[in-house]
Amino acid sequence: MSAFDAFWHVTNLLAPAWGVSVLLALLMRLVWRGQRMDLRKMVVWGGLGGMLAIGLALVLLGRDGKMAGYALLLTGVSLPQWWLTRR
C-alpha cells in the first residue's frame, strides 16, 4: 500500500465520525433554536469523540464495520455535544 492509499484509507475510516458530528450539531441547532450554541465547538468536540470511539472500537472489536462499533461511534459523537449543551 502506498502512502497515498494509506492516507485515503485513514481518511475514509474517520469520515463517518466527522460526518455524524456535523449532522448532529446542525440538527441540535435546529431543534433548540432558543439556545445559543457554538456550532464549530460542537462539531470539533463531536468529531474528536467520534475518532476516539472508532479507535476504541478497532481495539476492542478487532475490525471496522461491526454494529457495536457504530453504536460506540454514535455514543462518542453525542456525549461531547450533550456535555456542551449542558453548560
Side-chain angles (χ1 to χ4, degrees):
M1 179 184 300
S2 69
F4 186 71
D5 290 337
F7 169 76
W8 282 114
H9 187 74
V10 171
T11 301
N12 287 326
L13 175 70
L14 299 178
W18 290 98
V20 170
S21 178
V22 168
L23 288 175
L24 186 60
L26 289 173
L27 285 173
M28 287 176 70
R29 194 139 187 201
L30 281 175
V31 171
W32 289 292
R33 289 182 188 206
Q35 280 188 331
R36 211 152 175 239
M37 294 183 239
D38 186 13
L39 191 63
R40 275 182 265 144
K41 187 186 287 188
M42 292 176 64
V43 169
V44 167
W45 281 106
L48 291 174
M51 286 174 51
L52 180 69
I54 287 175
L56 186 63
L58 281 175
V59 169
L60 292 176
L61 302 173
R63 66 183 201 93
D64 183 35
K66 291 192 174 185
M67 290 304 292
Y70 291 127
L72 193 58
L73 168 67
L74 290 177
T75 304
V77 169
S78 61
L79 280 178
Q81 292 184 355
W82 168 76
W83 183 260
L84 288 171
T85 58
R86 280 190 52 211
R87 298 194 248 165

